[in-house]
Amino acid sequence: MVDIDLEKFFDRVNHDRLMGRIMKRENDNALLKLIRAFLKAGVMEQGLVSPSDEGTPQGGPLSPLLSNLVLHELDQELQRRGHRFVHYADYCNIYVRSERAGHRVMQSISDFITRRLKLKVNTSKSAVARPKQRKFLSFSFTGGKEPKRRIAPKAILRFKERIRELTRRTQGRSLRQIIEPLSVYLRGWRGYFGFCQTPSITRALDEWIRRRLRCIVLKYWKTGRRRFAELTKRAVGKSLAARTAGSCHGPWWLSRSPALSIALPNRFCDWLGVERVAGIG
C-alpha cells in the first residue's frame, strides 16, 4: 500500500486556482461569492483575526468537499494509470501488488503532485507498507489471505481515553448523569465504525465498558455494610456477599468478581440505556 499524506494541505490551497475549478462546474454567482467569503474569512488566534490569502479552514464543513475539487486531477491521473485507490481530503491510499511497485508509484505520484498540483508530500507521514501496518481514517486491515477491516489500534486507545473521561466520578454526578453523554458518544462511535469486520474487538470493548460501570456503582456503595446490603438485595448469597463486601481488593478488581456479575448483570447496563458497540461488524 502506498500511503500518501499531503503536507499542510489545508494551509496551502491556492484560492484562485480553487475558485477557477469551481467556476468550471458552477456558474451561480451568489454561491461563488459565498465560497470566496468562506475562504477569506480569516483565522482567529488569541482573540485576533488574521487574514487568509491561501488555504481552507481545517475542520470547516466545506473543506473536505473543496479538497476533492483541488485533488480531482490526482484522482483522474490515478484512474488513467489503472490504480486501485481510496482518497479523502489530504489522505490517499494506493494499493499495489508488491513493495517494489509501491516505491515506484510513490515516486511517480509524488512528482505529479509536486509538479502539476503545486503541493508537497509529507515524507515523514507517507510510506510504502503492508495495509495492516497503516491506517486510513482510523481504519486498518488484518493480515492473512482474506484481510478484514478493523479499527486502528490508535483509534481504540482514543476511544478508551474518551470513555475514561466520560465515566470519571470526580465531578459529583449521578449514574444517570454519566450514562446520558456516554450513550450519545457510543452511538456516534458505533455509527462511524459500522464497517468494522472484527466483532471480537467490539465485544471486548463492551465488556470493558460494563466493567467500568460496575466499578462506578461499587464506589457508590462506599462502606462494607452498604455493599453487603446491596449485594444481598440483588440475589447474591450472604456468604459470597460477605466475602466481596469485606474484600481488601479495590473496586476495579472487584468489578470482575462473581458477586458483581450476579448483582449487576449485562441486562442491568441495558436497563440503564447504555449503547452497545458490539455487533457492528
Side-chain angles (χ1 to χ4, degrees):
M1 183 176 78
V2 181
D3 188 0
I4 296 177
D5 181 271
L6 299 181
E7 185 173 315
K8 296 182 179 179
F9 170 74
F10 288 100
D11 298 332
R12 292 180 172 174
V13 172
N14 184 281
H15 289 177
D16 293 332
R17 186 183 178 95
L18 172 58
M19 292 304 299
R21 289 188 176 278
I22 297 174
M23 290 172 66
K24 290 180 180 179
R25 294 168 171 265
E26 181 60 58
N27 59 5
D28 187 328
N29 290 330
L31 178 60
L32 294 173
K33 186 176 180 180
L34 181 63
I35 294 176
R36 174 72 77 170
F38 172 79
L39 295 172
K40 296 290 186 182
V43 179
M44 180 174 287
E45 296 177 332
Q46 298 180 349
L48 299 176
V49 178
S50 303
S52 53
D53 298 321
E54 62 177 0
T56 65
Q58 188 166 1
L62 274 183
S63 292
L65 174 60
L66 297 178
S67 70
N68 282 340
L69 291 174
V70 173
L71 296 174
H72 181 61
E73 194 172 348
L74 173 62
D75 293 343
Q76 289 180 316
E77 179 66 15
L78 292 173
Q79 288 175 337
R80 186 185 69 79
R81 297 187 185 189
H83 288 309
R84 294 184 177 183
F85 68 96
V86 59
H87 155 230
Y88 179 80
D90 54 339
Y91 301 104
C92 181
N93 285 176
I94 307 167
Y95 301 95
V96 294
R97 293 185 178 275
S98 67
E99 185 176 357
R100 183 178 179 181
H103 287 292
R104 185 175 64 251
V105 170
M106 172 68 85
Q107 183 62 51
S108 62
I109 294 299
S110 296
D111 291 344
F112 175 85
I113 290 171
T114 302
R115 186 181 69 258
R116 292 287 297 275
L117 303 182
K118 309 301 180 185
L119 296 170
K120 186 177 180 182
V121 174
N122 189 332
T123 55
S124 64
K125 292 184 178 181
S126 302
V128 175
R130 296 285 183 183
K132 66 179 182 180
Q133 297 172 329
R134 306 296 291 179
K135 64 182 178 65
F136 183 76
L137 300 178
S138 297
F139 281 95
S140 184
F141 290 97
T142 61
K145 293 182 179 180
E146 297 183 5
K148 295 182 179 180
R149 290 183 301 272
R150 65 174 179 140
I151 304 167
K154 287 186 177 180
I156 293 177
L157 291 177
R158 289 195 300 269
F159 171 82
K160 287 191 170 185
E161 288 174 4
R162 182 58 178 154
I163 295 300
R164 289 188 183 99
E165 291 175 5
L166 291 171
T167 55
R168 192 175 293 127
R169 275 197 62 250
T170 58
Q171 300 173 352
R173 297 175 298 165
S174 68
L175 188 59
R176 286 289 184 183
Q177 290 173 321
I178 291 173
I179 294 300
E180 185 175 349
L182 174 65
S183 291
V184 170
Y185 175 74
L186 292 177
R187 194 177 305 121
W189 195 87
R190 173 177 174 150
Y192 182 81
F193 288 101
F195 294 102
C196 162
Q197 293 178 311
T198 51
S200 60
I201 300 298
T202 52
R203 284 196 297 267
L205 291 174
D206 267 337
E207 291 174 4
W208 179 76
I209 293 169
R210 288 194 293 265
R211 186 179 176 189
R212 284 195 65 83
L213 293 175
R214 291 187 183 108
C215 183
I216 290 172
V217 173
L218 195 59
K219 286 181 178 179
Y220 283 135
W221 303 339
K222 295 181 179 180
T223 65
R225 185 185 297 274
R226 171 77 183 279
R227 290 177 180 178
F228 177 79
E230 294 290 348
L231 289 172
T232 53
K233 185 169 65 177
R234 289 169 171 78
V236 179
K238 289 185 177 180
S239 176
L240 179 58
R243 291 198 304 272
T244 305
S247 174
C248 61
H249 294 292
W252 181 246
W253 191 93
L254 291 174
S255 62
R256 295 186 64 181
S257 66
L260 266 292
S261 297
I262 296 171
L264 305 173
N266 293 349
R267 63 177 179 274
F268 170 75
C269 297
D270 295 336
W271 176 75
L272 288 174
V274 180
E275 295 283 336
R276 293 195 182 199
V277 297
I280 63 177

